[in-house]
Amino acid sequence: MQSGHILNISCYLFVSLADTASLRDRLEARALALDLKGTVLIAEEGINLFLAGPAAAVNAWVDELRADARFATLTPKESWSEVQPFQRLKVKVKPEIIRMNRPAVRPDQAPRAPALPPATLLRWLDQGVDDEGREVVMLDTRNGFEVDAGAFDGAIDWRLHKFSDFPDALAAHRDELVGKTVVSYCTGGIRCEKAAMLLQEQGLTAWQLDGGILKYFEDTGGRHYHGNCFVFDDRRGVNADLSPT
């Protein structure tokens, strides 16, 4: 349900990009012209963005981005707010759109780890096991302070300070996950995209929650999740109905 006149979007796409500098200039100029605010990160591995503004302006920017065939499949997650949640616009070129410090983990160059639809996860959590009868464990790939705001019931929390801590934490706890179906999750899906690949490389049965917590809220209403979902803007968090906390 729409509440407010400012449209907030978030999305990412792992796709190989060779023109990061010129792409940055083009996307920034168009966002400035439309008076949008937020953050757009561009790297050789893809794009990650959080933007907000009047719906017509946000949609015009997204439509122009999708006109580039490389971004045709972008599917932003939407929420609404009464006020602009960002103070300014930042469009930057980075080494990674989500920093893991594992150069070999490149979702733009390898098959995607299996993505679990929110509705399927809800069913698994309701029944306590996956469709093969294996124990399902939720693995939170977010920072500790984000987990403190809200998380899936009984989720594994390694108290990460930053996402680049994840590989070392996995190395320390891998054996605890053997024989279980691991569902990695994060806010919008980008961190668990890389995390699930690394889990698979370690020989574990792993899924990523498709679209992250925000998509789970949108599709299921948030059952089996307690608290709110921390977001990195002035809203600080959103409830299961995607309204600002």
Side-chain angles (χ1 to χ4, degrees), residues 12 21 60 68-69 102 105 123 138 190 193 197 200 222 235 237:
Y12 71 92
D68 184 327
R102 289 298 174 99
V105 180
R123 179 166 56 80
M138 302 298 296
I190 188 170
E193 185 97 32
M197 289 183 66
Q200 284 196 312
R235 294 173 296 171

Side-chain angles (χ1 to χ4, degrees), residues 39-43 46-49 90-92 94 96-97:
T39 300
V40 181
L41 302 180
I42 302 166
I47 188 169
N48 185 22
L49 64 94
K90 296 185 289 185
V91 185
K92 297 182 176 182
K94 294 280 192 177
E96 299 177 79
I97 56 173

Side-chain angles (χ1 to χ4, degrees), residues 8-159:
N8 304 273
I9 64 167
S10 64
C11 64
Y12 71 92
L13 185 67
F14 283 105
V15 57
S16 297
L17 302 174
D19 57 340
T20 55
S22 60
L23 181 63
R24 189 211 76 85
D25 292 345
R26 176 164 58 89
L27 296 183
E28 180 183 51
R30 189 55 180 146
L32 286 170
L34 292 166
D35 197 26
L36 302 180
K37 295 180 180 179
T39 300
V40 181
L41 302 180
I42 302 166
E44 291 182 0
E45 65 180 5
I47 188 169
N48 185 22
L49 64 94
F50 307 85
L51 284 177
V58 172
N59 290 329
W61 189 90
V62 172
D63 286 344
E64 291 187 29
L65 182 58
R66 283 184 181 143
D68 184 327
R70 297 173 297 180
F71 304 111
T73 60
L74 271 177
T75 307
K77 289 174 283 294
E78 299 183 351
S79 61
W80 298 85
S81 60
E82 293 290 347
V83 297
Q84 169 62 260
F86 297 101
Q87 299 296 319
R88 59 194 179 99
L89 174 70
K90 296 185 289 185
V91 185
K92 297 182 176 182
V93 174
K94 294 280 192 177
E96 299 177 79
I97 56 173
I98 185 66
R99 183 181 174 189
M100 190 187 228
N101 291 341
R102 289 298 174 99
V105 180
R106 286 285 298 264
D108 61 311
Q109 297 178 350
R112 190 185 190 208
L116 189 66
T120 302
L121 175 60
L122 176 60
R123 179 166 56 80
W124 285 6
L125 294 177
D126 281 345
Q127 64 196 28
V129 294
D130 68 8
D131 292 335
E132 297 179 358
R134 295 164 60 99
E135 178 185 356
V136 175
V137 294
M138 302 298 296
L139 175 59
D140 205 314
T141 66
R142 299 173 300 159
N143 300 331
F145 71 88
E146 297 173 79
V147 181
D148 291 341
F152 278 95
D153 299 337
I156 296 170
D157 170 20
W158 288 335
R159 307 310 295 171

Side-chain angles (χ1 to χ4, degrees), residues 162-176:
K162 54 188 183 302
F163 183 57
S164 55
D165 294 337
F166 181 83
D168 287 342
L170 173 58
H173 295 280
R174 177 197 174 278
D175 291 349
E176 301 166 14

